[in-house]
Amino acid sequence: MLRSERQEMLRTIEMETRMTQGFTGVAALRPEVMEAMASVPRQEFVPAHLRHHAYANSPLPIGNGQTISQPFIVALMTDLLCSEPNDVMLEVGGGCGYQAAVLSLLVSKIYSIEIIPSLARATTHRLQKLGYHNVEVRQGDGYHGCPEHAPFDGIIVTAAVSFVPRPLQEQLRPGGRLVLPVGSPHSVQELMVLEKKKDNSIVSRNVLSVAFVPLTGGHENSGPGRAS
Ligand code: SAH
């Protein structure tokens, strides 16, 4: 039953990828991204009473006022990171760990920062139990990134920011990509891809309108200014 629901979710992701191609420039997601989406048991990441909705192409509440992201957006953001197998990645906004689990199948190591202590604890336990041993969940404010393990080959932020956090930009390796929702934290944001070139210059593009829960942590007024 769950297997066929997961197949249906993959078909929906393929369809939505084609439908949004005009905005994203992505006609089809890389096969390895689709394989990772096919492999991760999303029902293990949602509350028990929502398991029958686990493969719907929609976000779901996971408690603490937080959500598990929509499968299509998880797949698209994973694709946009353009990961390589030896990459070390940073995720800001670990939540239930679903995005990190998907990404963990494509890279060698992920540090995933989650600000809510109970969520960080539960997610550590869940990922260990399910065998995603290359994800290290850390509790803290991901605005500051993870300087002790920087630079990263890619950084993904799964909570809305009103500007690109400078520490994250700085912790990106030349050639690396930062994928994040930038805009009004309480309504709609633009999914952005920033690429750091070999000369450390940044090239960015807007991909798609999205709606993420806000990045919290009280740094919103201390930023370097809005992304344009
Ligand atoms: N990546 C998740 C979705 C996470 S929802 C998935 O796979 O489904 C966004 C998460 O970001 C929430 O769990 C929220 O608690 C967390 N968050 C918000 N502000 C944060 C911050 N400053 N640092 C780290 N995590 C933060």
Side-chain angles (χ1 to χ4, degrees):
M1 179 63 178
L2 285 172
R3 192 173 291 272
S4 68
E5 287 177 20
R6 213 181 296 175
Q7 287 305 321
E8 185 58 38
M9 178 187 86
L10 297 179
R11 278 194 291 277
T12 307
I13 291 171
E14 281 167 356
M15 196 178 70
E16 200 150 343
T17 304
R18 283 195 298 275
M19 276 165 43
T20 53
Q21 182 186 354
F23 303 101
T24 62
V26 178
L29 302 180
R30 288 181 295 142
E32 58 269 37
V33 173
M34 292 305 281
E35 277 162 30
M37 294 298 294
S39 149
V40 177
R42 197 169 187 257
Q43 77 274 9
E44 300 293 340
F45 293 82
V46 303
H49 70 283
L50 291 175
R51 285 208 170 144
H52 56 293
H53 291 308
Y55 291 99
N57 188 32
S58 60
L60 293 171
I62 56 167
N64 296 94
Q66 304 305 326
T67 53
I68 177 172
S69 301
Q70 180 192 2
F72 165 63
I73 296 296
V74 171
L76 177 65
M77 289 176 82
T78 306
D79 194 83
L80 290 169
L81 278 169
C82 282
S83 59
E84 300 283 345
N86 290 329
D87 282 355
V88 178
M89 298 279 189
L90 174 68
E91 180 189 35
V92 174
C96 64
Y98 179 68
Q99 170 73 74
V102 170
L103 199 51
S104 78
L105 299 175
L106 302 172
V107 300
S108 82
K109 178 86 187 176
I110 304 174
Y111 295 92
S112 176
I113 310 181
E114 169 54 50
I115 202 165
I116 300 177
S118 59
L119 212 46
R121 271 196 304 276
T123 295
T124 301
H125 180 69
R126 173 182 300 113
L127 291 170
Q128 284 301 314
K129 191 184 82 180
L130 294 173
Y132 297 103
H133 298 300
N134 59 343
V135 183
E136 186 174 319
V137 179
R138 300 184 148 212
Q139 193 272 319
D141 183 352
Y143 175 87
H144 305 289
C146 190
E148 60 273 39
H149 292 291
F152 296 99
D153 299 297
I155 302 178
I156 180 170
V157 182
T158 61
V161 288
S162 56
F163 56 86
V164 180
R166 184 160 300 277
L168 301 185
Q169 206 166 301
E170 286 169 356
Q171 289 172 29
L172 198 58
R173 189 190 297 286
R177 286 177 164 212
L178 170 55
V179 177
L180 77 178
V182 183
S184 167
H186 297 285
S187 60
V188 176
Q189 308 94 38
E190 272 300 309
L191 189 60
M192 288 181 72
V193 181
L194 277 75
E195 197 176 338
K196 190 182 264 189
K197 297 291 180 189
K198 300 278 180 224
D199 64 0
N200 279 327
S201 63
I202 299 278
V203 177
S204 72
R205 72 182 177 101
N206 291 5
V207 174
L208 195 67
S209 294
V210 289
F212 277 83
V213 296
L215 192 84
T216 58
H219 40 66
E220 281 289 289
N221 297 321
S222 61
R226 283 171 195 262
S228 54

